[in-house]
Amino acid sequence: MMITLPHFLSQPYEYASVLHNRHDICNLHDNSTSTESCGREDTRRLADTSQLWILMAIAQLLFGVGSVPIQPFGISYIDDFAGRENSPLYIAIVFAVSVFGPSVGYLLGSAMLQIYVDVDRSGLGAEQELKNNDPRWVGAWWMGFLITTGFLVLTSIPYFFFPREMNSEVNRTLSETDSNDDLKNKDISLLDFLKLFPRMFVRLLLSPFLLLLILAQCCFSSVIAGLSTFLSKFLERQYGASIVRTSQLVGAVNLPAVAVGMLIGGVIMKRMGLSLKSIPRFSVIMLTISTLICVPLFFMGCDTQRVSEVNDQLGQYRPLSKCNISCSCPESAFHPVCGSDGVEYISPCHAGCTNFTKDPNNTFRVQLYTNCRCISGGQSHARPDPCENNCPHFLLPVILMISLASLIACLTHNPLYMMVLRCVSFEEKSFAIGIQFLLMRLLAWLPAPALFGLAFDMSCIWWRTVCGKQFSCGYYDNNLMRHRYLGLQVGYKIMGITLLIILGWKAKLTQEYDLEKKSEIQV
């Protein structure tokens, strides 16, 4: 609920439109300039951006606290009370189902994004003027959170009826339950646990075997973080698909492939009973195949379209056109239009268009911008849409290849996770999983999205400005973006594979270990 508060606390969304005012087109008789002081709308936009993000950060923090009973403690709970031969499959099912949640979220989001963000305030007026592929369109991102909140409340009710203890499918042996003298007392007080905490933490963290395993998982989690955060934007920018379309593809193709890979990995663990030596080998082979599948993606894309005052076909900056100097274009104007000369313009004003015609079938929409001074040719007009992308035919092959690579990589998810559960004593499992999740958050899920975001920002060739400050990127160098985004993923995978090779070499120095026997490894 808290994450939706910015929508209700902020002012209604406003966008530039020639139907509301003439700031969107060239005003030859306007004496104002694009460098004048910030208007009320721009000032309010900056204020909302700098303040309301704190609410979203707090909401994410609360979400992380609420997920602890399921991951990591729920995983240890299942492994404690499930049969030894069934534990890998049960855990794989839990992870697979947890992936279907975001899949449904993407599909729900794609439906909500087709509804205007302020439908609760302005009705359907904006939907009559804007299309959902218009750069000015903002969908009702907040509605999906309200719907999922209701389902979350309902699904949390069964947790209140869980017993304090469950009957195990098998009886634990004395050696398992008494393997750690410090923790074998179930009635240990919180104060005693806090005293034991530093020693347990250091002992587990200094275990080379466990540390290598967790660092390898951090590398692969970084890839997942980059995909989950920026895959939709990558597909949108590279192949000209709408955010609705990309959300549908990610939710209906990519994430189900991830879930299937996790399930198959659990089945492999149950049927084959991979040993300590065979799990790193199996993982290296699968992840190497997954990495090789990603190599053709580097070449499946097109250059950035030609944009006046931004770039040309050779990627070189062009001098500011003099045809729109007297148009008084607002500094924050961003409404891409496609000129009759095949060049895209930042806005009708930047194209020098002084007039427009309405769509005869919908008088709330502009059909053409006319009398465009910056467009060469006999018919100097512009369509109220960005120019068409040259690579839409790559969209489906790319998402299929990414999904295939994800499926193969996720075959290793369950085996690697079971190694964490088996390389520590029975009493230290929950604590080891907690350390694993802590390091994965600190080393993967926190820095990786920021690093991928930096790669996107460094590929930007034209920034939108509001009140003289960078606000958001308007145009990217598609080739740089593709190479950096995919290059980071491949780099993380190579680092993870390298760590697994070292892990496999270290496993050779230990005694052969059968996962079905759950013997403790001394490393």
Side-chain angles (χ1 to χ4, degrees):
M1 293 291 291
M2 183 179 293
I3 205 169
T4 66
L5 289 180
H7 167 73
F8 298 102
L9 297 178
S10 61
Q11 298 296 319
Y13 171 66
E14 296 181 9
Y15 55 90
S17 172
V18 70
L19 300 178
H20 300 164
N21 53 62
R22 297 187 66 85
H23 293 166
D24 209 24
I25 61 175
C26 181
N27 297 304
L28 297 175
H29 303 293
D30 193 342
N31 294 326
S32 63
T33 64
S34 61
T35 58
E36 63 182 67
S37 60
C38 294
R40 178 176 57 87
E41 166 65 19
D42 291 339
T43 303
R44 179 180 58 80
R45 186 184 304 174
L46 286 177
D48 287 346
T49 303
S50 61
Q51 296 175 2
L52 295 179
W53 70 268
I54 298 177
L55 280 175
M56 304 188 77
I58 296 174
Q60 291 287 343
L61 177 63
L62 294 176
F63 174 79
V65 173
S67 64
V68 169
I70 300 177
Q71 295 178 357
F73 295 149
I75 305 303
S76 178
Y77 191 77
I78 292 174
D79 190 58
D80 288 345
F81 296 100
R84 299 173 182 176
E85 68 281 356
N86 294 326
S87 177
L89 182 59
Y90 291 164
I91 293 176
I93 292 174
V94 170
F95 278 110
V97 172
S98 67
V99 171
F100 275 112
S103 178
V104 174
Y106 270 100
L107 295 176
L108 178 62
S110 68
M112 296 299 103
L113 290 177
Q114 298 183 61
I115 303 173
Y116 185 62
V117 62
D118 286 329
V119 66
D120 58 324
R121 298 170 176 174
S122 60
L124 301 177
E127 295 184 354
Q128 293 177 324
E129 179 181 353
L130 301 179
K131 301 176 183 178
N132 56 30
N133 61 348
D134 192 304
R136 298 170 296 171
W137 174 272
V138 176
W141 58 271
W142 52 274
M143 293 183 66
F145 288 102
L146 293 179
I147 295 173
T148 53
T149 297
F151 284 104
L152 186 61
V153 171
L154 293 176
T155 55
S156 65
I157 293 177
Y159 284 95
F160 292 96
F161 301 95
F162 270 45
R164 291 183 61 88
E165 294 185 3
M166 295 181 64
N167 294 326
S168 176
E169 292 183 359
V170 294
N171 294 323
R172 300 289 179 184
T173 63
L174 184 62
S175 61
E176 283 181 306
T177 56
D178 293 342
S179 57
N180 191 299
D181 293 335
D182 294 330
L183 296 175
K184 65 181 179 179
N185 184 5
K186 296 182 180 179
D187 298 326
I188 185 173
S189 65
L190 177 61
L191 181 61
D192 292 336
F193 175 79
L194 292 177
K195 293 179 180 179
L196 293 174
F197 180 87
R199 184 175 54 174
M200 293 165 52
F201 183 80
V202 172
R203 182 171 67 248
L204 290 176
L205 199 60
L206 294 182
S207 169
F209 192 92
L210 181 63
L211 187 60
L212 282 173
L213 181 57
I214 293 177
L215 290 178
Q217 289 181 312
C218 287
C219 292
F220 305 132
S221 293
S222 298
V223 177
I224 297 175
L227 286 172
S228 61
T229 309
F230 291 103
L231 180 57
S232 292
K233 184 174 184 177
F234 173 77
L235 297 175
E236 178 189 5
R237 291 289 185 167
Q238 286 288 323
Y239 309 109
S242 67
I243 189 64
V244 173
R245 175 66 170 162
T246 58
S247 297
Q248 290 173 344
L249 289 174
V250 173
V253 181
N254 182 249
L255 291 179
V258 170
V260 170
M262 291 180 177
L263 280 175
I264 296 176
V267 173
I268 291 175
M269 280 296 300
K270 177 178 173 62
R271 298 295 184 185
M272 300 180 60
L274 298 177
S275 66
L276 178 67
K277 292 183 178 180
S278 57
I279 287 178
R281 297 171 185 171
F282 170 78
S283 300
V284 166
I285 294 174
M286 293 297 103
L287 290 167
T288 301
I289 295 174
S290 174
T291 304
L292 293 176
I293 292 176
C294 294
V295 173
L297 298 176
F298 285 88
F299 309 98
M300 299 176 68
C302 299
D303 297 332
T304 305
Q305 68 271 28
R306 293 181 58 194
V307 184
S308 178
E309 303 180 17
V310 175
N311 68 342
D312 56 28
Q313 290 181 334
L314 297 178
Q316 303 295 324
Y317 289 100
R318 298 166 60 185
L320 182 65
S321 177
K322 297 181 179 180
C323 58
N324 58 23
I325 288 181
S326 59
C327 289
S328 305
C329 299
E331 181 185 35
S332 59
F334 185 67
H335 176 197
V337 295
C338 188
S340 54
D341 57 354
V343 178
E344 187 169 313
Y345 296 83
I346 297 172
S347 72
C349 183
H350 288 80
C353 303
T354 59
N355 210 340
F356 65 94
T357 60
K358 293 184 177 181
D359 189 341
N361 298 323
N362 185 352
T363 57
F364 291 95
R365 289 179 180 170
V366 175
Q367 184 180 38
L368 286 176
Y369 293 97
T370 57
N371 300 328
C372 302
R373 307 173 66 197
C374 299
I375 299 178
S376 59
Q379 296 180 342
S380 56
H381 63 263
R383 292 184 290 104
D385 296 299
C387 292
E388 293 183 359
N389 187 281
N390 295 324
C391 295
H393 56 283
F394 281 136
L395 179 61
L396 288 180
V398 166
I399 191 64
L400 289 176
M401 291 182 67
I402 292 177
S403 299
L404 178 61
S406 300
L407 187 151
I408 294 175
C410 287
L411 294 176
T412 67
H413 181 272
N414 187 263
L416 292 176
Y417 203 93
M418 295 306 298
M419 287 186 72
V420 176
L421 295 175
R422 301 300 186 257
C423 69
V424 295
S425 66
F426 171 75
E427 298 292 347
E428 291 180 329
K429 278 193 299 186
S430 295
F431 195 77
I433 297 174
I435 293 177
Q436 177 200 28
F437 273 76
L438 173 65
L439 293 179
M440 288 174 66
R441 294 299 187 272
L442 292 178
L443 302 180
W445 287 98
L446 282 179
L451 189 58
F452 279 97
L454 181 62
F456 271 72
D457 289 345
M458 293 178 63
S459 304
C460 184
I461 58 176
W462 184 82
W463 286 90
R464 296 175 60 186
T465 56
V466 175
C467 300
K469 300 180 179 179
Q470 287 186 355
F471 187 69
S472 62
C473 185
Y475 294 99
Y476 294 91
D477 184 319
N478 284 349
N479 289 329
L480 278 179
M481 179 205 294
R482 185 173 64 256
H483 295 158
R484 288 172 177 172
Y485 180 64
L486 297 174
L488 270 177
Q489 295 181 42
V490 171
Y492 273 122
K493 287 185 177 180
I494 291 176
M495 285 193 296
I497 291 172
T498 303
L499 291 172
L500 287 178
I501 292 175
I502 299 174
L503 190 67
W505 170 78
K506 184 171 179 58
K508 289 183 179 180
L509 304 180
T510 64
Q511 59 182 351
E512 184 67 16
Y513 176 73
D514 188 352
L515 289 176
E516 298 300 325
K517 296 179 180 178
K518 292 189 175 180
S519 300
E520 180 179 352
I521 304 174
Q522 302 295 334
V523 292

